[in-house]
Amino acid sequence: MFLDTVLARNPELAEAAAALHDKGAIPPDTYVVDRDAVEANAELLAREAQRLGLGLWFVVKHLGRNPELIRAVARHLPEAAAIDAPEARALKAAGARPGNVGHLVQIPRRALPEVLGWRPAYVTVFDTDNARAVSAEAVRQNTVQDVLVRIEGDPESVYPGQEGGVPLERLDSFAEAAEALPGIRIAGVTGFPCLLCDPRTGTPQPTTTFALLRKARAQLAGRGHTGLRLSAPSATCVTSLPLLSDLGATHGEPGHALTGTTPLHALDREQPERPAYVYVTEVSHTLADGRPALYGGGFYPRADIRDALLYRTGTRLRVGGVPAENIDYYRLLSAPNHGQADGAPRSAPPDVRAGDTAVLAFRTQIFVTRSNVAVVSGLSSGAPELTGLYGPLGGAL
């Protein structure tokens, strides 16, 4: 999905990643991330957000909650949105301030004392029960916690497994209950996804969920709430920030923009953010019909994987698909003769050997893989350095 963009915009990253694997510094099934590019992308986002008067809470789940990368981003975007309590801990440990917690996953009851003790700027709540729990813990800690109300999204745009929120038609009754709670203050609304990229052009466009958020904020304002925030996550990047501003959002939540890997970046190589990671693996074996197999572990089901570049020969081969219900052990590459009808011209088999380095670039969520994360710096200055090797949840290896 992103291989051509990487080779055009950040070829040094692909070269360095292949060299690290070739000399045995990193194993197969490793994402190699350009720390300098991530930081430069964060700086671009921060500058444009400041120009527009927007706040940004960065998200690091797709980067494996990596502490080096968190620190690099936080130098420009100091506040983060944590999708769940473990991510909130990783962000805080690496020095980011908690901007919005409970973003996609509600904070478990037994984690509330710890998380509220950090004094997050906002906590997202999905329903009255969670609002009561946050209020009760805030009272115990002698504070009042600002909360964002998660609004139930339009069924056509909500992803399975991410359901929840207050329906717009029940917002008044929710607000009436929440207003009576002494430990919380309604401070705004959020939902997901608020922007999606057009599959043909990549252009970010608002979803019907975004329209619901705008109605919800107006409804809460009609109850006397002032200064209400509207956080509109998904597809937050430099190009989409003016759209967020025009539609009345106060906050965005950049994730894939930090690595130049939104769907828009796959279609438009001239986007401001540079691609900042590649996936490195190697040929494991070759089938009897000539198809090489790559070691897996990091092939995210929604990745839109297309090609693999075999560095020893410069050969590019198509990557076969695998049903999402299957375990990610291997991915098969196409062989020139595979699938040809009898009598069709046959090309010579590619020169592929077990152990050959393969470099790929596709959309990922590293925190749900079993991959390694190698962080490199110095690519832009011609002095690449491997600064750390980590697991998919940020632990140092």
Side-chain angles (χ1 to χ4, degrees):
M1 183 176 183
F2 296 106
L3 186 56
D4 287 330
T5 305
V6 170
L7 295 177
R9 296 284 307 277
N10 198 351
E12 299 85 0
L13 171 59
E15 293 281 354
L20 286 169
H21 175 262
D22 186 58
K23 68 182 183 182
I26 60 173
D29 183 25
T30 296
Y31 286 94
V32 181
V33 187
D34 180 347
R35 189 182 72 194
D36 299 341
V38 169
E39 182 165 357
N41 291 339
E43 186 175 11
L44 285 172
L45 286 156
R47 189 183 309 135
E48 179 67 359
Q50 183 178 34
R51 184 184 73 83
L52 295 167
L54 287 170
L56 292 181
W57 298 318
F58 73 94
V59 181
V60 292
K61 59 190 174 72
H62 85 292
L63 288 171
R65 302 170 177 170
N66 187 276
E68 276 195 65
L69 302 174
I70 291 170
R71 288 191 291 270
V73 174
R75 284 192 278 271
H76 306 278
L77 300 172
E79 292 191 338
I83 66 155
D84 58 16
E87 184 156 300
R89 293 186 189 102
L91 286 159
K92 184 175 185 301
R97 297 201 302 266
N100 179 17
V101 296
H103 158 74
L104 288 180
V105 180
Q106 292 290 268
I107 303 168
R109 297 295 189 277
R110 292 159 188 83
L112 279 171
E114 175 191 15
V115 174
L116 292 193
W118 304 333
R119 299 297 185 261
Y122 302 93
V123 173
T124 294
V125 293
F126 282 36
D127 57 20
T128 307
D129 282 345
N130 280 280
R132 289 193 185 104
V134 173
S135 174
E137 181 55 38
V139 168
R140 278 192 286 271
Q141 297 192 21
N142 195 31
T143 188
V144 176
Q145 176 63 57
D146 282 343
V147 298
L148 300 180
V149 184
R150 162 76 173 242
I151 302 301
E152 183 180 64
D154 177 67
E156 293 186 3
S157 63
V158 173
Y159 299 128
Q162 298 183 20
E163 299 90 351
V166 178
L168 192 63
E169 63 272 17
R170 298 183 188 173
L171 182 58
D172 280 330
S173 59
F174 169 87
E176 184 177 0
E179 288 159 1
L181 297 172
I184 63 170
R185 177 172 45 241
I186 294 176
V189 295
T190 189
F192 189 86
C194 294
L195 297 180
L196 289 176
C197 294
D198 182 281
R200 293 174 294 103
T201 65
T203 305
Q205 298 178 343
T207 66
T208 49
T209 295
F210 201 153
L212 291 174
L213 296 189
R214 299 174 71 190
K215 291 178 181 178
R217 182 170 61 175
Q219 198 167 321
L220 290 172
R223 296 182 61 89
H225 296 280
T226 59
L228 292 168
R229 306 296 191 236
L230 192 161
S231 181
S234 186
T236 304
C237 58
V238 168
T239 294
S240 69
L241 291 182
L243 177 60
L244 290 183
S245 178
D246 290 345
L247 291 175
T250 62
H251 288 76
E253 300 183 11
H256 276 279
L258 298 170
T259 48
T261 52
T262 75
L264 177 56
H265 292 80
L267 295 172
D268 182 359
R269 298 182 198 171
E270 303 308 314
Q271 285 299 299
E273 300 94 343
R274 292 179 71 210
Y277 70 75
V278 293
Y279 181 68
V280 178
T281 188
E282 69 180 62
V283 175
S284 165
H285 57 283
T286 301
L287 276 61
D289 63 10
R291 284 179 295 167
L294 298 179
Y295 286 109
F299 291 113
Y300 178 60
R302 295 174 58 213
D304 192 13
I305 304 165
R306 299 176 187 175
D307 294 352
L309 175 60
L310 301 180
Y311 250 79
R312 183 178 59 83
T313 61
T315 304
R316 282 179 68 159
L317 297 177
R318 295 291 290 178
V319 181
V322 172
E325 61 266 24
N326 287 58
I327 297 174
D328 175 20
Y329 291 127
Y330 303 104
R331 279 295 177 96
L332 295 177
L333 302 179
S334 62
N337 296 333
H338 183 72
Q340 286 185 334
D342 289 342
R346 304 180 74 81
S347 55
D351 177 13
V352 180
R353 305 172 191 169
D356 275 353
T357 300
V359 175
L360 305 89
F362 48 81
R363 188 174 175 87
T364 191
Q365 295 287 344
I366 294 174
F367 82 117
V368 297
T369 73
R370 60 180 189 274
S371 302
N372 310 288
V373 178
V375 179
V376 296
S377 66
L379 292 174
S380 58
S381 64
E385 177 187 1
L386 176 64
T387 60
L389 187 64
Y390 302 85
L393 295 178
L397 301 180

